[in-house]
Amino acid sequence: MTADYQSILQQQASAPLATRNDENHYLIPLPSYGVITVTGEEAANFLQNLLTNDVKQLEQQASQITAMCNPKGRLLALFLLVKTESGYQLVLPQSQCAFLAQRLQMFKLRSKVEIADCSETLQVCGLQGNDPSTSAIPLPSQSRALLIASVDQMTSDLEDLMSKGWQLAAEASWFITEIESGIPVIFPSSRELFTAQQLNLDLIGGVSFRKGCYPGQEVVARLHYLGEPKRRLFQAIAKTDTLPEIGETIVDKEKAVIGHVVNAIHGDENQLFLQLSLKLDGANQDLYLSDGTAIESVHAYV
C-alpha cells in the first residue's frame, strides 16, 4: 500500500460519520473489504452454477447481490458481484476472502477459469452522493456507488474527487447505510447460520428462482414455493458502548432465543445500529442482547 493511500486512510480515521444531507458528497474508503476476481472464458458458466443469483443477466460495470450456499441451503458467503471487461469481481469482507477463494477453487476442476484473491492489490471505496465518478459501479440504493481500483489508481481518483469538494467519512458510515438499506452481510462467525430467506435475499434481488441448479438451490426453492419463512431480517438500535459478536443470540425476557445478530456497528454517542435475523412470532416482544442490553426500535424492512 503506497504512502499516499495510507495517508488518506489515516485522515479517514479521524473523519466524522457521513450526514444525510443530499448536498454533501462523501468518499468512504473500505479497507476492511476485499476483492476476489474470477476470469477466463468459462467464468460466467462457472459462477452461474454456484451462486444464488442469475449471473448471465449481469451487464458490464453493473452489480448484483448474490451468495454461495452449502448443500443444505445455508449461506457460506454473501457479496456484491461486479461484471468487468475481463471477468467478475466479488466484493466482500476481507475476513471472508481467503475462505471463499478456496471454496471456489474446490469447484474449478477443468473449468477454464482463474480465481484470485486480489485484496492486497485492489482497494474498495464507497461513494455517497448524487455525482459519482464515471468509473464507479452504481448501486441501487441511495445515490451510492463503488470504486474498485489498484492502490495507485485509487489514490489518484480520491485526490481528484477531494479536489472537487468530496469529503472523507468514517468507514462506519457505509456499514450504517447498509444496515438501514437492508443489505445483509456474512462474516466468518455467521457462515452456515442463516438461509437466504432469513436474510431477505429473496426480497432484495439476491436470489433468482428462474435459473438452473446451484448448491442449496433445492432447499431455497422449496421454501419459496411450498413454505413460509419463519425468520426475516430486521433493523434495530441499542444504547451501549459494547459491540456484540456477529451471530450472538437475541433473547426475550424469558431468555428464549428469538434470533441472531447479523451485523452491528456503532454510530455517535454509543448508539448501536443492529441488523437482526428474528423469528416472526417473536419480533414484537421486548428483546435483549445476550448481555442484557435492551434493544429498541425493532423494525422489519418490508
Side-chain angles (χ1 to χ4, degrees):
M1 191 174 295
T2 66
D4 287 341
Y5 189 64
Q6 187 63 45
S7 175
I8 291 174
L9 294 182
Q10 290 171 355
Q11 294 176 54
Q12 184 192 27
S14 59
L17 293 171
T19 68
R20 301 298 189 272
N21 189 337
D22 290 339
E23 295 180 0
N24 294 332
H25 306 304
Y26 291 102
L27 304 173
I28 310 175
L30 302 173
S32 64
Y33 267 56
V35 180
I36 295 171
T37 60
V38 179
T39 57
E41 62 183 88
E42 296 180 354
N45 287 333
F46 175 75
L47 293 174
Q48 181 78 341
N49 292 331
L50 294 176
L51 306 183
T52 59
N53 217 332
D54 192 342
V55 176
K56 295 187 176 181
Q57 295 297 313
L58 195 55
E59 298 179 355
Q60 190 168 315
Q61 285 302 104
S63 65
Q64 64 181 203
I65 296 169
T66 189
M68 189 171 184
C69 300
N70 69 11
K72 295 182 179 180
R74 296 273 167 172
L75 297 170
L76 294 168
L78 198 164
F79 45 91
L80 191 74
L81 182 68
V82 178
K83 185 175 182 180
T84 67
E85 185 176 356
S86 58
Y88 296 88
Q89 295 172 328
L90 289 61
V91 183
L92 68 164
Q94 196 167 137
S95 58
Q96 278 275 84
C97 285
F99 165 80
L100 181 57
Q102 183 180 35
R103 190 80 180 191
L104 292 170
Q105 289 283 1
M106 290 171 52
F107 291 91
K108 179 180 175 180
L109 301 177
R110 296 183 180 180
S111 298
K112 296 178 181 178
V113 297
E114 295 297 328
I115 302 159
D117 182 352
C118 296
S119 300
E120 295 299 319
T121 56
L122 290 176
Q123 304 300 314
V124 184
C125 179
L127 304 182
Q128 187 168 305
N130 293 316
D131 186 25
S133 164
T134 55
S135 62
I137 299 140
L139 300 179
S141 61
Q142 301 184 12
S143 302
R144 299 194 306 155
L146 277 185
L147 276 174
I148 303 172
S150 66
V151 174
D152 290 342
Q153 185 61 53
M154 183 67 77
T155 303
S156 176
D157 289 344
L158 296 192
E159 288 177 342
D160 179 60
L161 289 170
M162 283 189 285
S163 72
K164 297 176 180 177
W166 286 68
Q167 306 170 49
L168 281 173
E171 186 177 19
S173 306
W174 192 262
F175 304 136
I176 290 171
T177 302
E178 294 276 272
I179 289 175
E180 293 178 336
S181 302
I183 307 300
V185 62
I186 292 291
F187 294 101
S189 57
S190 55
R191 286 181 206 146
E192 301 182 295
L193 184 58
F194 304 112
T195 65
Q197 283 91 343
Q198 289 173 355
L199 297 191
N200 287 7
L201 287 192
D202 56 323
L203 304 181
I204 62 171
V207 179
S208 171
F209 294 101
R210 296 183 178 181
K211 60 172 285 185
C213 294
Y214 55 86
Q217 182 264 347
E218 183 178 348
V219 178
V220 176
R222 185 188 307 125
L223 181 58
H224 176 73
Y225 290 111
L226 301 177
E228 289 290 337
K230 296 181 179 180
R231 298 186 184 217
R232 281 293 189 183
L233 197 64
F234 292 77
Q235 60 178 319
I237 291 173
K239 297 289 186 180
T240 176
D241 58 2
T242 302
L243 192 68
E245 296 289 332
I246 301 300
E248 180 178 307
T249 56
I250 303 299
V251 299
D252 63 15
K253 61 184 178 181
E254 305 297 333
K255 305 299 183 183
V257 175
I258 303 300
H260 298 83
V261 174
V262 177
N263 200 2
I265 191 75
H266 272 119
D268 292 325
E269 301 177 352
N270 293 335
Q271 186 177 41
L272 181 67
F273 292 85
L274 291 165
Q275 193 171 59
L276 312 171
S277 180
L278 302 174
K279 295 178 181 178
L280 293 175
D281 61 5
N284 293 326
Q285 304 179 45
D286 292 336
L287 299 177
Y288 304 87
L289 296 172
S290 60
D291 66 358
T293 299
I295 298 173
E296 307 169 7
S297 304
V298 178
H299 296 294
Y301 288 102
V302 292

